[in-house]
Structure formats: C-alpha cells, structure tokens
Amino acid sequence: SITGGAAITGVNGVATVGSWTRDLVVGADTLTATAAGLTGSPITFTTLAVAGPATTIAQNSAISQSAAVGTAVGAPPSVVVRDANANPVAGVNVTFAVTGGGGTLGAPLVVATNASGIATIASWTLGTTAGTNNNTVTATAAVPSGSPVTFTASGTAAAANKLVMVQQPSAAAATPGDRDGRIAH
C-alpha cells in the first residue's frame, strides 16, 4: 500500500509518495510512477523481500506411518521451516535422529532447508521389533516454536520366511485306533 500516491512535483521537480508499505509475502513488489505526456513515463520501482528469521518448524510429510519391520517407510520424514509471516525460510539446518525403535536414517542426518523451507531425510528404515508407534524420529531446528517435530511409525510383522518345528512327534506315539501298529480301517 502507499500513501500520498497523487504526488505533485516540488520546486526541484521531484515527486515523492508519502510511504510505501510492502506486503508480508516473500518476493518482488512493484510501484509505478506515471506522468502523462512525459518521456520515460512510467517508471517502475521494484523491491525484493526475503524471509525473516526462522520462527517455526512443522511436519511436511505424514506424522505417523507403518511399514514392515526392517524396511523403509513410504514417505521419509520431512519438515517445513517458516518465518513469523509464514514465509518459507531457506538454509536452516534440521537435525534428524532416531529416538526409538532402533531403526536407521539415510545420510546426511543434518539437512538444510531448500528454497521452499523444506528439509527431508533421505530414508527411514524401521527397527526389527513389531509394535504400534514403537519407532520414532525427531527433527530439530534452532527455532522458537515447534521444535522438535516427532514422527512415529508402527512396525508390522514381516512376512513369514521359514517354518520351524517346535516339538517333534514321538516315534512311539500311536495314532488313535492303532493298537498293534496298524491303522484301523
């Protein structure tokens, strides 16, 4: 917004608006000065706003997932960092760490936010114990609000891959109806 938009030139030939207040969104804003019949008219002034300091961190991917134990979740943990006006902030280091369940994360464990304010870990492989929300990962950043963000995953039992005999039948055991070693018909 501007004030004094219909300015008149002074004795020095300069016209000035009273004020120009930018919006709160990162990016370019323009102001155009127009004087009818003058060469060079209109003149465009441009400002480029950048994000303010990082103030919040929040989830950007699913906060709770499930996968078979020992396998990777479908969507690796991802967060978004914003300034006080909800603009994304680039270049903020986010540290990802396994805090429960014994799983592993794909490197690197410290990820800088991109131009969209997003940091995503490469992968998250769950631990080997099945259970509801028994695997956890945190994403931590130096911001006043929302840190750390905790992601949970339930480890489901893996598909059966072997058959084990728990108790072998006795060789002396007889089948019902078998009195002398022969099966009754």
Side-chain angles (χ1 to χ4, degrees):
S1 64
I2 61 170
T3 61
I8 299 175
T9 57
V11 292
N12 58 0
V14 176
T16 306
V17 296
S19 66
W20 178 15
T21 304
R22 289 193 34 90
D23 60 18
L24 301 176
V25 179
V26 170
D29 277 344
T30 58
L31 175 68
T32 304
T34 305
L38 295 180
T39 303
S41 179
I43 297 175
T44 301
F45 301 91
T46 303
T47 65
L48 182 61
V50 295
T55 58
T56 63
I57 183 172
Q59 82 192 62
N60 187 56
S61 64
I63 202 84
S64 181
Q65 301 183 61
S66 67
V69 296
T71 66
V73 296
S78 177
V79 294
V80 60
V81 176
R82 299 185 182 278
D83 69 8
N85 296 309
N87 293 303
V89 180
V92 175
N93 285 333
V94 177
T95 303
F96 291 88
V98 172
T99 53
T104 58
L105 298 174
L109 300 181
V110 178
V111 180
T113 55
N114 62 20
S116 298
I118 296 171
T120 305
I121 193 71
S123 64
W124 177 20
T125 300
L126 302 184
T128 57
T129 304
T132 303
N133 293 330
N134 62 330
N135 292 269
T136 56
V137 166
T138 58
T140 308
V143 296
S145 179
S147 188
V149 175
T150 301
F151 297 88
T152 61
S154 297
T156 58
N161 62 2
K162 62 182 170 179
L163 178 62
V164 177
M165 186 176 295
V166 176
Q167 181 177 359
Q168 184 167 343
S170 166
T175 356
D178 182 11
R179 296 192 182 150
D180 59 0
R182 292 174 291 159
I183 299 176
H185 296 289

